[in-house]
């Protein structure tokens, strides 16, 4: 286990993308946060995702003090959460 989704693994999104499907992701992505490990680098056309575990449901911060800012990305770039924000409502 590499703690990230390594490049020896093909994602379902990569398979679908190669078959001509459009792929989207929103929500948690605890599979890597380096640029080549984000959803848009792994087959998703568009993605709004959270790379870190333990993020607050109402703000862009951790709940346990593990890091300074919850690492949300939009299409592979740093994202800012909308206001008001509640994670479950936003993801759905």
């Amino acid at each position: 286990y590499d703690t990230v989704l390594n490049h020896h693994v093909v994602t379902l999104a990569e398979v679908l993308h190669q078959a001509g499907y459009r792929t989207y992701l929103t929500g948690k992505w605890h599979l890597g946060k380096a640029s080549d490990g984000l959803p848009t680098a792994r087959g998703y056309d568009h993605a709004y995702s959270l790379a870190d575990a333990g993020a607050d449901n109402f703000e862009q911060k951790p709940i346990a003090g593990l890091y300074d800012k919850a690492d949300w990305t939009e299409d592979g770039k740093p994202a800012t959460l909308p206001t008001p924000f509640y994670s479950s409502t936003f993801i759905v």
Side-chain angles (χ1 to χ4, degrees):
Y1 178 62
D2 295 328
T3 70
V4 298
L5 185 64
N6 67 45
H7 290 283
H8 300 288
V9 176
V10 177
T11 67
L12 181 58
E14 289 168 321
V15 172
L16 291 172
H17 185 80
Q18 290 173 358
Y21 288 88
R22 300 287 308 234
T23 53
Y24 301 87
L25 176 128
T26 183
K28 295 179 178 184
W29 178 266
H30 304 316
L31 302 172
K33 60 187 201 176
S35 61
D36 66 342
L38 290 172
T40 49
R42 299 307 308 264
Y44 289 93
D45 293 301
H46 298 287
Y48 205 110
S49 62
L50 172 65
D52 299 310
D56 188 270
N57 287 311
F58 298 94
E59 298 180 65
Q60 197 162 358
K61 66 178 187 176
I63 55 172
L66 300 172
Y67 40 87
D68 295 328
K69 181 180 176 186
D71 193 15
W72 284 89
T73 59
E74 182 175 11
D75 295 335
K77 298 177 181 142
T80 301
L81 301 179
T83 305
F85 176 79
Y86 177 62
S87 63
S88 295
T89 302
F90 179 73
I91 289 168
V92 172

